[in-house]
Amino acid sequence: MSYWKCRYCNCKNEETDNCKHCKSHKPKEQEKEESTVGNNHGHHHNETDITQDFDLASFMGQESDELIWIKDSIDVTVKSTDTQAAVSLQVGLQLAIALVVSVTVADSEHGRHIAHDLFQKFNMEQTNKQKIFVKNSKDVNITTTDTDLAVNIQALLQVLVSLVAKLDIL
Amino acid sequence: MSELPKSPKVISNKVIDLLVSDVLQKNGVNLEDVKKKLSDDQKELLRAVVEDLTAQVDEFVKKSPKKK
């Protein structure tokens, strides 16, 4: 029996179509055949063929982790910003910028370059991790704000407003 | 996170304007041509999108918990 090694998770597989560990990856030969049909950016998933165009519109990486750990304590109040809402707001802004660029530039490849340039200037890729530990305490108030995300959102809005102002839309 | 600034620093509008102009110029976009090409409907739609997003961002920034 022949084996093939998945190049993403490195696990050995028998003659199955997809990698048994990460499910969607295939033997190299098969993947090569498929990549000639669709564009192959990064990891190859079957579904990405359909949504390929949106990959670049919102390619900015942002990771926000928040961990609040409370033990043996009493009367602890936690106030935390809804990071999820902030992230979707950020994606909305990125898409709006991509939309304005795409409407203004007929050539989609060219438009993609411009949107890419705009996003890249901000170097938005960042990780924000907050860890808070509370132990053996009483009457503690915790307030956390994801300031990085708030700044990003405001900066993206400024870019969007500046773009549309230049086009006499506002 | 007590070291974080109390309110997010906003980048100057001039810097953003310069950045956007620079990117458009480097990519050879002629703003006058684009202005002529945009239909009134498209402008109206984009204006609505921007106004909606501005309102959402304002609300988000206002809603963020204040530090004591």
Side-chain angles (χ1 to χ4, degrees):
Chain A
M1 189 173 283
S2 66
Y3 290 94
W4 60 276
K5 205 174 180 187
C6 177
R7 55 198 178 107
Y8 298 107
C9 63
N10 278 333
C11 67
K12 265 188 174 180
N13 293 284
E14 292 169 18
E15 287 177 313
T16 47
D17 277 348
N18 291 342
C19 167
K20 67 182 176 197
H21 183 248
C22 50
K23 307 283 188 237
S24 49
H25 299 124
K26 295 173 188 306
K28 223 172 183 178
E29 292 74 20
Q30 221 170 320
E31 203 169 276
K32 260 186 199 156
E33 271 171 37
E34 284 192 7
S35 69
T36 53
V37 180
N39 281 337
N40 190 9
H41 290 289
H43 287 203
H44 189 93
H45 291 280
N46 292 341
E47 311 88 65
T48 45
D49 286 345
I50 305 159
T51 54
Q52 200 78 74
D53 280 345
F54 288 96
D55 272 5
L56 280 172
S58 54
F59 77 107
M60 270 183 275
Q62 175 105 32
E63 197 184 317
S64 258
D65 275 354
E66 202 171 56
L67 174 82
I68 298 171
W69 191 81
I70 301 165
K71 202 183 175 193
D72 302 333
S73 304
I74 190 166
D75 290 338
V76 178
T77 317
V78 178
K79 255 190 213 167
S80 175
T81 323
D82 187 357
T83 317
Q84 203 62 47
V87 171
S88 49
L89 196 51
Q90 183 177 317
V91 173
L93 283 162
Q94 288 166 18
L95 288 177
I97 292 173
L99 173 75
V100 174
V101 172
S102 137
V103 168
T104 49
V105 185
D107 181 358
S108 63
E109 191 59 39
H110 193 193
R112 226 175 272 180
H113 270 291
I114 297 175
H116 185 263
D117 270 6
L118 281 173
F119 294 145
Q120 209 172 38
K121 285 272 193 311
F122 280 92
N123 192 18
M124 289 285 192
E125 211 161 304
Q126 58 173 271
T127 312
N128 186 17
K129 286 185 180 164
Q130 301 183 342
K131 285 197 180 93
I132 296 167
F133 295 88
V134 178
K135 201 178 173 187
N136 285 332
S137 309
K138 187 177 178 281
D139 295 328
V140 178
N141 285 317
I142 304 168
T143 312
T144 67
T145 319
D146 195 342
T147 321
D148 294 337
L149 207 49
V151 174
N152 278 352
I153 287 172
Q154 284 176 303
L156 278 174
L157 181 68
Q158 282 176 290
V159 170
L160 180 64
V161 170
S162 165
L163 253 181
V164 293
K166 283 188 197 308
L167 297 169
D168 282 351
I169 290 173
L170 282 185
Chain B
M1 301 290 130
S2 52
E3 301 83 28
L4 290 176
K6 284 189 178 169
S7 61
K9 267 181 264 159
V10 185
I11 306 165
S12 148
N13 274 331
K14 282 177 190 160
V15 176
I16 301 280
D17 261 351
L18 209 58
L19 167 101
V20 174
S21 303
D22 176 55
V23 170
L24 292 177
Q25 200 189 352
K26 276 189 182 151
N27 283 282
V29 176
N30 188 334
L31 283 173
E32 294 308 313
D33 285 356
V34 176
K35 278 182 207 167
K36 277 180 223 152
K37 212 178 62 187
L38 278 176
S39 70
D40 285 348
D41 282 352
Q42 278 175 318
K43 282 188 180 180
E44 191 56 48
L45 182 83
L46 291 174
R47 194 180 301 139
V49 168
V50 174
E51 277 168 8
D52 184 37
L53 283 167
T54 309
Q56 283 186 46
V57 171
D58 282 348
E59 201 188 328
F60 173 78
V61 175
K62 254 189 261 163
K63 218 173 55 183
S64 299
K66 302 272 181 301
K67 300 257 170 168
K68 283 165 212 160

